[in-house]
Amino acid sequence: MQTLPPRDVGEVLADIRARLDTLSPQCRKVALQVLDDPSMLGLCGIEDVASRCLVTPSSVFRFAQQLGFDGYRALRQTFRQALTRQLRRDERHWPAHPLRMGVAVS
């Protein structure tokens, strides 16, 4: 399988919704959990996702492949990058912190 260019999380979630009725029962469990908590993919390893979805890690891997990714790592990277972008946007609104300002804290 060929690696796709980076995809937007919104596009991936729309793809999951569109495929929901065609997924195997195990992949459907993963899909429903992802739709309920998308950040899980950016924060958790494949074993944790499988445990949360009550499926095997291989089901999570197949789910990622059905979405066009090489495997779970590529899918996770898409969600991880989105979380990182969100944190960076949110960081602009945080109050000034001495360490961010280069001030020594004693």
Side-chain angles (χ1 to χ4, degrees):
M1 187 175 297
Q2 200 172 39
T3 302
L4 297 172
R7 296 166 59 190
D8 178 77
V9 167
E11 180 184 330
V12 175
L13 293 174
D15 192 18
I16 292 170
R17 282 186 208 94
R19 294 172 184 250
L20 206 51
D21 293 334
T22 63
L23 295 172
S24 70
Q26 299 303 307
C27 288
R28 185 176 165 85
K29 287 181 181 181
V30 178
L32 291 172
Q33 186 68 31
V34 168
L35 291 173
D36 186 54
D37 182 13
S39 64
M40 168 185 70
L41 290 182
L43 298 171
C44 299
I46 194 168
E47 293 83 9
D48 292 332
V49 172
S51 176
R52 289 177 184 216
C53 298
L54 304 175
V55 299
T56 63
S58 60
S59 293
V60 178
F61 187 85
R62 281 192 301 276
F63 171 75
Q65 287 184 319
Q66 288 181 12
L67 295 175
F69 292 90
D70 285 340
Y72 180 72
R73 283 185 184 175
L75 175 61
R76 182 181 185 188
Q77 187 62 27
T78 297
F79 281 77
R80 184 175 275 182
Q81 288 171 348
L83 285 172
T84 301
R85 282 191 300 274
Q86 182 63 46
L87 286 172
R88 286 187 179 139
R89 276 193 300 269
D90 292 349
E91 184 180 45
R92 293 183 206 144
H93 304 288
W94 294 348
H97 187 279
L99 293 178
R100 286 182 46 216
M101 296 171 44
V103 176
V105 178
S106 48

